[in-house]
Amino acid sequence: NNGLASIATDANALCKSEKLLNLIRTDMDRVAKQEQLIGFEKIKRFELSAEDFSIENELLTSTMKLKRHAAKLRFKSEIEKLYQ
């Protein structure tokens, strides 16, 4: 049990959960070590979004590829926070 059952149906609460963020961070660190990634290859900061990436909200193309410019604009403030 990961202790997240009480918020499992609330995407916003999940995205803000320190417990979930720590679980993800721990797993990313494990994979980085397993794959012998060096400093600049490792993810240092990240943020989760409760918003689905879809064609309808214009974050994905019809071939399900990320529209980088649209995502950059939509998540501008979140991205800026990661680099402070």
Side-chain angles (χ1 to χ4, degrees):
N1 187 352
N2 58 20
L4 297 170
S6 65
I7 59 171
T9 59
D10 183 350
N12 287 319
L14 278 171
C15 289
K16 290 177 177 39
S17 166
E18 282 301 317
K19 184 164 188 135
L20 179 60
L21 293 171
N22 287 332
L23 286 169
I24 293 170
R25 187 175 295 109
T26 299
D27 201 42
M28 287 193 308
D29 290 344
R30 179 191 59 78
V31 171
K33 186 174 183 177
Q34 174 185 314
E35 298 299 320
Q36 299 177 341
L37 299 180
I38 55 178
F40 71 91
E41 296 174 311
K42 297 176 187 175
I43 295 172
K44 294 176 182 53
R45 296 182 199 146
F46 65 95
E47 184 162 326
L48 301 179
S49 173
E51 182 178 359
D52 289 337
F53 285 41
S54 68
I55 297 167
E56 292 76 22
N57 69 7
E58 300 181 358
L59 289 173
L60 296 179
T61 67
S62 60
T63 57
M64 304 304 283
K65 294 178 184 170
L66 177 65
K67 289 184 176 181
R68 292 175 186 258
H69 184 68
K72 182 179 163 185
L73 293 175
R74 176 84 49 90
F75 299 105
K76 183 178 179 172
S77 65
E78 291 87 344
I79 293 168
E80 287 174 351
K81 281 190 251 176
L82 295 174
Y83 286 95
Q84 290 180 354

